[in-house]
Amino acid sequence: MATLALADDALVLSHRLGEWAGHAPVLEEEVALANIALDLLGQARVLYAELGDEDELAYLREERAFRNCQLAEQPNGDFARTIARQLLFSTYQELLYARLAEHGHPLAAKAVSEVAYHRDHAEHWTLRLGDGTRESHARMQSAVDGLWRFTGELFQPVEGLEQLPR
């Protein structure tokens, strides 16, 4: 069940980030968000493959059968909201995969380096927007304030990973 939840988190967020294609503030950011989305999609595929037919698990289940955290499915909103969501999620994911790697999970070691890049990217933009203009600061603060309520779920046990934080 834990593998399914982790795969669903990655799949759902990859689709949210993919929505930025053609809409990011600058071309370089469009490419960066697309690459992060592809990394997450790759994580989801590997995790689904551990469980069975990845297409069936990813695309043929009813909406309520997904086990993803609510943070991953939050709408993009403006760029600051996307970055805040990415910072919160990738920080959680980096810590979780580091713990899984310590416990010998074979796929976690590769994922740690990927999600460290995702966190670093989001951290850079969080600081840039937060330290920028009054408008960018206000949007970044509003994004963090609006998404913070979804972080509590990240600290709840995932079935199958009870000893690790969600």
Side-chain angles (χ1 to χ4, degrees):
M1 195 57 94
T3 302
L4 184 61
L6 298 177
D8 288 348
D9 284 344
L11 178 70
V12 169
L13 187 54
S14 75
H15 283 270
R16 282 291 187 214
L17 290 173
E19 293 171 5
W20 277 102
H23 303 287
V26 292
L27 180 61
E28 292 83 2
E29 206 43 43
E30 210 168 284
V31 172
L33 291 174
N35 282 330
I36 293 170
L38 287 171
D39 285 348
L40 290 167
L41 183 59
Q43 289 173 19
R45 291 189 66 199
V46 168
L47 292 167
Y48 286 139
E50 276 190 18
L51 298 171
D53 184 301
E54 63 185 86
D55 287 337
E56 184 176 313
L57 290 166
Y59 301 112
L60 301 177
R61 287 185 291 151
E62 293 295 321
E63 177 183 321
R64 298 227 181 255
F66 280 77
R67 311 295 303 156
N68 61 281
C69 64
Q70 289 183 344
L71 180 64
E73 66 185 47
Q74 293 308 300
N76 287 325
D78 65 13
F79 185 66
R81 185 173 169 88
T82 294
I83 292 300
R85 182 189 61 211
Q86 191 62 42
L87 179 64
L88 295 169
F89 183 79
S90 58
T91 300
Y92 150 73
Q93 208 180 31
E94 183 180 18
L95 294 169
L96 178 63
Y97 282 138
R99 286 283 303 277
L100 287 171
E102 288 172 10
H103 287 86
H105 193 283
L107 305 173
K110 180 178 188 280
V112 169
S113 62
E114 284 181 351
V115 298
Y117 165 76
H118 302 171
R119 184 209 28 85
D120 186 58
H121 175 266
E123 186 177 300
H124 166 80
W125 273 103
T126 298
L127 293 171
R128 187 171 174 183
L129 293 170
D131 290 343
T133 66
R134 281 189 199 150
E135 177 70 17
S136 69
H137 177 85
R139 285 177 183 244
M140 195 71 238
Q141 186 63 60
S142 176
V144 171
D145 292 345
L147 293 167
W148 190 253
R149 67 188 181 110
F150 298 103
T151 61
E153 180 182 17
L154 303 177
F155 297 95
Q156 299 301 313
V158 176
E159 187 179 329
L161 296 178
E162 287 81 6
Q163 77 279 10
L164 299 173
R166 173 133 174 72

